[in-house]
Amino acid sequence: MSAPCLEVYPGAVHLPGFLSLDEQRVLVEHCQDIGNGPTGWYVPTVRGGGKMRVRMLCLGRHWNARTYRYEASRRDHDGRPAPPLPPQFSAVAVRMAEAAGMRLTPDVCIVNYYDAAGKMGLHQDKDERPDTLALGVPIVSVSLGDTAKFIIGGLTRKDAKAMVPLASGDGFVFGGLSRLRYHGVAGLLPRTAPRELHLDGRLNLTFRQGAA
Ligand code: SIN
Ligand code: MN
């Protein structure tokens, strides 16, 4: 039996329970290994000078939080080259996109770590190449650890919004007409992570095409 596939809006698809616990564990361990390595976690400072409420790791390409552009190395942090995007990570994103009836060839994965106070304000993902945005090539999001209160709205900031709880192992794919919907994370539901992951908080991986 295939995993459920819930269409929240046309082109915005929730895939609850997509990943097995073993697959989740492999991803968590791999993210932690990279994050604890020499080109590891950092807290981005955005254009206005404020700190984001997550720790970040960009794989494949680096997203510069000051310029909102992708580049080869972490020029807004320590100048180190972005670690490569592991092919096993990309394979998960391709499978999720397919399950949602979409396709992407990711060139970047942004890993965000949320602690108990982590959140992310409402925003659009629009820093990828204009041709991929116009084609509606999806963003694929993978959630691991504590459940997040994921908020997704319309194409303007004030449109009505839906709250989708994203639990460990869930996928969320938004492309096509939903590619530029505003979205964010209102907070976590503490201590909801599967114990077997030994993860305090939440990891979210977003895969994108058009960063290169
Ligand atoms: C993001 O929009 O970049 C992250 C979304 C999430 O953490 O679920
Ligand atoms: Mn986003």
Side-chain angles (χ1 to χ4, degrees):
M1 202 178 73
S2 58
C5 185
L6 309 173
E7 194 172 59
V8 180
Y9 300 109
V13 177
H14 181 197
L15 302 166
F18 190 90
L19 295 176
S20 70
L21 204 46
D22 279 346
E23 290 173 306
Q24 295 174 49
R25 191 171 15 225
V26 169
L27 286 174
V28 168
E29 285 172 4
H30 205 147
C31 289
Q32 283 168 339
D33 283 347
I34 302 170
N36 296 329
T39 314
W41 300 112
Y42 63 99
V43 178
T45 301
V46 290
R47 238 181 265 184
K51 296 245 180 239
M52 288 183 73
R53 306 278 291 268
V54 293
R55 277 191 262 165
M56 194 176 274
L57 203 52
C58 299
L59 309 177
R61 296 276 287 167
H62 176 67
W63 177 74
N64 184 317
R66 293 274 187 185
T67 61
Y68 293 9
R69 287 177 185 272
Y70 290 101
E71 55 198 23
S73 51
R74 317 199 309 179
R75 288 200 303 129
D76 57 331
H77 180 57
D78 57 7
R80 299 179 82 104
L85 171 54
Q88 315 87 291
F89 282 31
S90 299
V92 170
V94 168
R95 270 169 59 209
M96 283 186 174
E98 271 171 13
M102 291 179 251
R103 266 170 196 264
L104 91 162
T105 307
D107 42 33
V108 66
C109 171
I110 300 184
V111 184
N112 289 309
Y113 169 73
Y114 297 74
D115 65 15
K119 48 176 74 175
M120 189 173 292
L122 211 58
H123 66 279
Q124 289 172 297
D125 290 351
K126 57 180 182 185
D127 302 330
E128 295 72 35
R129 272 203 330 268
D131 59 306
T132 60
L133 299 180
L135 286 169
V137 177
I139 300 280
V140 174
S141 147
V142 178
S143 292
L144 301 163
D146 282 345
T147 298
K149 291 183 269 181
F150 180 69
I151 307 294
I152 181 159
L155 299 181
T156 75
R157 198 172 268 284
K158 53 183 167 36
D159 286 338
K161 294 159 192 68
M163 198 282 275
V164 182
L166 292 182
S168 199
D170 288 9
F172 195 89
V173 181
F174 52 110
L177 295 174
S178 286
R179 177 62 178 75
L180 290 174
R181 283 184 186 275
Y182 274 87
H183 59 280
V185 172
L188 304 187
L189 301 180
R191 294 174 298 282
T192 47
R195 284 180 47 213
E196 299 84 341
L197 291 184
H198 306 290
L199 176 62
D200 197 10
R202 170 179 188 250
L203 289 172
N204 175 260
L205 287 67
T206 51
F207 293 87
R208 299 134 194 265
Q209 179 178 335

